[in-house]
Amino acid sequence: QVLLVESGGDSVSSGGPLRPSCAAPGHTVSRTCTPWSRPAPGKERGGVAAIDSFRRTIFADSVKGRFTISKDNSKNILYLQMNSLTPEDTAMYYCAGRSSWYCGTSLGEVEYRYWGQGTQVTVSS
């Protein structure tokens, strides 16, 4: 069983930054694809961003240029730097994991086996 624990969600004003993190004890983020997801229309979870073991990244069009994804391999922690937040970014954000390094060429292409409990981000106008 892989444990993923998100934290860092908060209530912020539009335009503000936020950086949720995902601790993954026992799961080697350095060698696997690790994404951030949030609910999307018609989906329980839609991809926001993903990073593979080579640090190549994929982003949803709605967050490109505003969000960055990174990981600290020494600490086994995944981060999501969120800038220029808008009320449309309000959601529960989840990190996930899978055994493979491969994230696919677009979000939603691969499936994830492990999920965290989520951290709430609320953006007020």
Side-chain angles (χ1 to χ4, degrees):
Q1 183 70 25
V2 173
L3 180 65
L4 300 171
V5 182
E6 301 95 333
S7 63
D10 205 347
S11 296
V12 297
S13 299
S14 283
L18 201 60
R19 192 178 79 151
S21 60
C22 172
H27 183 64
T28 310
V29 298
S30 64
R31 295 200 297 262
T32 60
C33 170
T34 40
W36 284 95
S37 297
R38 67 188 184 191
K43 298 180 180 179
E44 183 177 359
R45 296 187 183 101
V48 173
I51 183 168
D52 68 15
S53 60
F54 299 98
R55 298 185 185 273
R56 293 177 299 200
T57 56
I58 310 172
F59 294 94
D61 288 343
S62 59
V63 305
K64 280 180 182 176
R66 300 189 298 122
F67 291 11
T68 57
I69 185 171
S70 62
K71 53 186 177 180
D72 185 329
N73 291 339
S74 65
K75 297 179 180 178
N76 249 0
I77 297 179
L78 179 72
Y79 299 101
L80 183 68
Q81 179 66 48
M82 311 164 73
N83 297 324
S84 302
L85 284 163
T86 73
E88 288 69 37
D89 295 315
T90 294
M92 186 74 81
Y93 284 75
Y94 301 90
C95 65
R98 63 197 304 257
S99 300
S100 171
W101 63 270
Y102 184 63
C103 289
T105 56
S106 62
L107 295 170
E109 182 176 327
V110 300
E111 294 184 353
Y112 298 94
R113 183 175 180 182
Y114 313 108
W115 291 90
Q117 83 290 346
T119 187
Q120 178 67 39
V121 172
T122 302
V123 185
S124 59
S125 57

